[in-house]
Amino acid sequence: ILEKPLKEDYFMYLASRANCISCKVECILVKDDCRVIATGYNGAPKYIDNCIDGRCERCKEEGRDNCICIHAEENVLLIAGREAEGCTLYCTT
């Protein structure tokens, strides 16, 4: 019989989309202990090519301090907006 995964493990699996080559961080907002509100990951802003595709010249040439990626936590809060209130945030770091 397969064991049911822990809810925390399940939520973190859903958030695993980070696309920065410097540091992979994922997070997810959950409300009422089971409803997923939003997932976020560190990566390039919308309409910018992703680091993981080898397109971030700043990461490759200037190092991590100059990476254009935004934080997973910023990303998930931008997506969730006001729905983030009262949520639990699960994060890989």
Side-chain angles (χ1 to χ4, degrees):
I1 297 176
L2 293 174
E3 274 190 52
K4 185 176 175 181
L6 295 174
K7 67 180 178 184
E8 292 84 1
D9 293 335
Y10 174 70
F11 294 145
M12 291 314 304
Y13 171 76
L14 291 177
S16 60
R17 293 197 56 209
N19 62 31
C20 179
I21 58 175
S22 295
C23 182
K24 294 191 180 298
V25 179
E26 298 96 6
C27 66
I28 190 166
L29 281 174
V30 178
K31 187 170 252 177
D32 301 327
D33 207 33
C34 66
R35 189 166 60 103
V36 174
I37 300 301
T39 61
Y41 51 91
N42 63 331
K46 196 172 185 178
Y47 306 116
I48 306 261
D49 290 330
N50 293 318
C51 289
I52 202 164
D53 298 326
R55 296 187 178 113
C56 182
E57 295 302 319
R58 296 175 87 176
C59 276
K60 287 194 290 188
E61 294 178 16
E62 299 175 34
R64 184 175 172 180
D65 291 338
N66 293 307
C67 181
I68 61 169
C69 292
I70 63 171
H71 289 263
E73 301 87 346
E74 291 174 298
N75 199 347
V76 79
L77 291 173
L78 286 169
I79 293 166
R82 291 182 178 216
E83 280 193 273
E85 188 174 337
C87 288
T88 299
L89 187 140
Y90 295 93
C91 191
T92 57
T93 60

